[in-house]
Structures are given as structure tokens and as C-alpha cells.
Amino acid sequence: MSNIAGKAYSMNLMTPITRKMILINKLIFWIAGTPYFSGALNGLRTLSLIHYARWVVVGRKQFPHVSPDQPEEDLEYNYMFFNSNFNGSWTQYVDSFSMAIPSGLNLLWKKNVGWPDAVPETPFNRYVINNQIWSSHYYCAYPMAASNDVKAGQSIKGGVEELSKGLDSISAADFRKKYDATTKKLENDISMMAPTPVVSLANLAIEKRERIEEGKK
Amino acid sequence: MPNRSTSKNSERAYGLSIYCPIKNEHEGDVSFTSLVRTALQDFKEDEDSPMAKVPNTYLARFFIVDDVIFESFPHTNDHLQSAYLAFSTNFHGNLDEYLTGMYENMNTKIHNVWQYCYGFEKVKDAASFIAYIKKVQVETSYFFVGSNDDSLPEQLKSLYLKQEFSKFVFANQSKSDDELLAAYKEFDARTKPAVLEGPTWRAGAGSLKNVNKG
């Protein structure tokens, strides 16, 4: 069981929504998804620690039913699943959200059953802990890269490809000018990546890291 | 379409969410739900994860919804009739192509895990797998892309170049113009910036010692 894949953490939250609120909750997400209002969630982008995140509202009669042998669900509430892929620890993430975009959180979880408001933090943290489901397997294609590294890599690739044009004919002095301009433009993107520090003090986590570093499985 | 981001420049990323009902049965004293959990926990991690073989997977997770969560009284104590295997993946491209790649590259693992789910007995090949997944797919209400929607080979090449170019910049400070150009020509020939196949980063690699490929 692992919520961690290198620098990425997987969070799964399941929260109930009453029958009378489901249409309002769906409407909020629909509005948030329209290009005209997408700026309203810019706080998420500013946090800059999320790879991908999603909200999925499953109506009380919408859990998949695929076989006549499967018992029918008979639920009082609808349920919202929130799945996030972020960098950093659980505490850093939950605190960042609570501090940076409390009104956005209150809107996205508007009147979910038991929702305590994003501030103060203690009841908010307790709600997240109570509603979190642990992942049984979590995979990230680039465990050593944060979301910002992926975005920086895209910029660097573009810069390097441009720098590599005309190498056979350019003079050393002109290349210097081009190189200096490129590195100046990319100065916020140039940095090296490495495995994340071991965040658990468990002996098993440290032994696992040592095995990886030694190239053993 | 909410399974894709509606934000500009991120429409090529897809968020697939599926919830597969697990049969209320057991093998000896062990429930099918526990067997699914054990099969998932037996997956190796990082580059040895079966998901590392599935083309264009950015990040993916499996979790089990044993029951709904109770918010304490006076709220209603709801219960599910079945546990659900949840699979949530973020990938680049088209759903059918992605699921075909998934079935072709990890069908033994897929059958090991999903054999305990209702309706999966009809899955025999990639086409029936796609049909099954579409039956258990739930629509995403809002999909947020905080990274980018380039293909995975493009992202991995970009990360490789970020690492190598950063090393190059640090190593070539205070070089003369001629030395700098000569060093860059060597860098360009070694890293092949426009070639995605390699050299590049290996999908899922968690250590600098084995991350480079090609």
C-alpha cells in the first residue's frame, strides 16, 4: 500500500453529497470548466505543486452496475471522489490548500456532508483524514521530477532545439551570444533533479532507498 | 468533455476514472476484495510497475472502496452493496488506443486483478477489455492539468534534456567562445535533442543510476 511514488503523492478523498445539492455541485464544476471561468481556479495553478487532479461526482444510482448477479446499490447520498497527484508531503499539501485557496475549496466541496470549511485547519485536517482512502498501488512515470520540473523540461527542450540549429555554420562569437541569451531566458528552469529525500523514518523505507541506490531490486 | 481539461493547451491529457464492482465472494477464508488488494500490493514499484509498460501513462493509481465513509450522526449511515476497485489514470492521447496499449502490455496482471470483479469474465482480448472499461467508467466532473499534456516520450526526453543541459551549463562556465561551441557540438551529438527514442529517461525510473536509456 503506497500513496507515494518518488516526489508524487496520491490523495483519494470520498465525500458525501446530499440529494438536493448534487445539481448545484455539478453546476459549479461545469461553470469552473468553461473557458470563461477557468481563471477562477488559477489558485490551483499558482500552488504549482499539482501534476493532475480531478473531481468525480458519482450519483447515488450511478455506481457502475455490470451484471445481473451484482446487488443493486441503495444509497442515501451521492459521492464525490477527489484524486490528486501532487509534490510534497500530505501536511504541506493540505496546509497549502487551506492557506492559499480556502474560498476555492469551500466552493468545490460546497455543503458536502460533514464539510467543516477550509479554515480553521484542525477540523479541516480531521475531515481529510477521515475521508481519505489509501492507494493500493501508485505509479509515476517520473518519480524524480516535480510538476515544475516537467514544465521546466518543456521550456528547456525548446531552448536546446533552437540552440542546436545551424551549429555547422555559426561562428563561435555568434554562438556565445545565442547561448547567453538562451541561458538567461531559461535561468529559472535550469536545475538538476535527484531522488526525493526519504520522508519516512521507517527502517523499511530507508532500506528500500538503499537498495534502489545500489541498483538492486 | 470533462475527462479532458478545458484549459488552453492541456486538452491532450485524459483523466480516466473507473469503479469496478468486486464480487461478494471468497476463496477459503479470504474475501475477493482482499485478494484484489493483495494482487495490487504485489505489483512492483517504479520502472518495474506494470504501469511503466503502458504507453503514455503519466501517473496512475489503484485503490479499493470497501464502503462509503460515514460522517457520524446525525448523518445517515450509508453502505455499499459491493466493494469497488477504483483505477484512476492520467495519460496522453486517445482512450481506445490507451486501453489497447494497456491490455497488450499487462494483460496477465489485468486478469490477475480484475478476475474478481463482476462482468469481467467476458473480457478475452483488447476489444472486450475496452468495452468493459467503458461500462465501468464514470465521467470526470472537473479535470485539472497542472503539468502539461505532451506525450510521455516528449516529457521524458524533456526531463532528460533538462538534466543534461543543466549539467552542461554548470560544467562550461568561463569557457572561451571556441571551447564553448566545441563542447556544445559534443553535447548536441550525444543528447540528440530532436530524437525522442533516445537517449532519454526511462519511464518510472526512481534513481539517477538507471534513469538514462539509449
Side-chain angles (χ1 to χ4, degrees), chain B residues 55-104:
Chain B
N56 274 318
T57 306
Y58 303 135
L59 296 111
R61 83 204 43 196
F62 296 84
F63 61 97
I64 291 171
V65 183
D66 289 294
D67 201 350
V68 297
I69 289 164
F70 178 44
E71 301 298 334
S72 85
F73 293 107
H75 304 300
T76 303
N77 193 357
D78 246 355
H79 286 292
L80 289 170
Q81 299 302 309
S82 308
Y84 287 80
L85 161 65
F87 174 55
S88 167
T89 180
N90 307 272
F91 63 89
H92 167 94
N94 167 284
L95 179 60
D96 284 18
E97 279 174 25
Y98 178 76
L99 291 174
T100 301
M102 183 170 171
Y103 193 82
E104 284 174 352

Side-chain angles (χ1 to χ4, degrees), chain A residues 1-2 5-6 8-12 14-16 26 29-30 32-35 38 41 44-45 50-58 62-64 66-67 69-77 79 81 83-85 113-114 127 130-145 147-154 156-157 160-161 163-164 167-168 170-173 175-176 179 182-183 186 189-195 208 212-215 217, chain B residues 6-7 13-17 19 21 24 37 40-41 43-52 57-65 67-71 75-76 78-82 84 88-90 118-119 132 135-150 152 154-159 161-163 165-170 172 175-178 180-181 184-185 187-188 193-194 196 201-211:
Chain A
M1 189 175 292
S2 177
Y9 186 103
S10 76
M11 177 176 279
N12 309 304
M14 183 185 194
T15 52
K26 285 190 171 179
F29 288 115
W30 181 81
T34 57
S38 60
L41 291 175
L44 285 176
R45 210 167 295 280
I50 300 173
H51 289 279
Y52 305 90
R54 78 183 70 165
W55 289 258
V56 180
V57 177
V58 183
Q62 289 177 326
F63 278 84
V66 291
S67 163
D69 303 336
Q70 180 192 346
E72 298 276 354
E73 297 296 349
D74 180 21
L75 292 166
E76 168 64 22
Y77 297 124
Y79 286 88
F81 291 91
N83 305 121
S84 181
N85 304 272
V113 176
Y127 186 77
N130 183 57
N131 290 274
Q132 185 171 355
I133 301 172
W134 254 237
S135 294
S136 294
H137 180 74
Y138 186 39
Y139 167 77
C140 174
Y142 21 74
M144 289 187 288
S147 170
N148 278 342
D149 291 318
V150 178
K151 286 175 276 191
Q154 188 183 40
I156 287 186
K157 184 167 185 288
V160 166
E161 283 177 344
L163 206 50
S164 290
L167 278 183
D168 292 335
I170 197 168
S171 71
F175 180 76
R176 162 70 69 184
Y179 177 81
T182 301
T183 50
L186 297 174
D189 301 314
I190 294 169
S191 67
M192 286 191 280
M193 294 162 281
K208 181 186 160 195
I212 291 172
E213 290 302 315
E214 289 165 10
K217 301 294 178 194
Chain B
T6 50
S7 298
Y14 192 104
L16 172 68
S17 306
Y19 290 86
N24 299 308
R37 186 175 278 115
L40 292 171
Q41 289 173 352
F43 282 4
K44 291 183 175 170
E45 295 180 352
D46 295 339
E47 71 268 34
D48 296 322
S49 163
M51 293 309 300
T57 306
Y58 303 135
L59 296 111
R61 83 204 43 196
F62 296 84
F63 61 97
I64 291 171
V65 183
D67 201 350
V68 297
I69 289 164
F70 178 44
E71 301 298 334
H75 304 300
T76 303
D78 246 355
H79 286 292
L80 289 170
Q81 299 302 309
S82 308
Y84 287 80
S88 167
T89 180
N90 307 272
Y118 285 110
Y132 170 80
K135 277 188 194 165
V136 291
Q137 180 178 10
V138 291
E139 190 82 352
T140 300
S141 304
Y142 184 74
F143 185 41
F144 174 77
V145 177
S147 183
N148 68 43
D149 66 348
D150 286 343
L152 185 65
E154 183 80 26
Q155 286 186 340
L156 291 170
K157 182 76 186 194
S158 298
L159 289 167
L161 284 174
K162 177 180 187 305
Q163 190 80 346
F165 188 63
S166 299
K167 282 186 211 166
F168 177 88
V169 171
F170 298 147
N172 287 283
K175 292 276 172 73
S176 71
D177 293 356
D178 288 329
L180 179 68
L181 179 57
Y184 190 82
K185 282 182 177 173
F187 168 86
D188 178 73
L196 296 185
W201 268 16
R202 195 184 304 279
S207 165
L208 290 173
K209 286 187 179 168
N210 67 350
V211 71

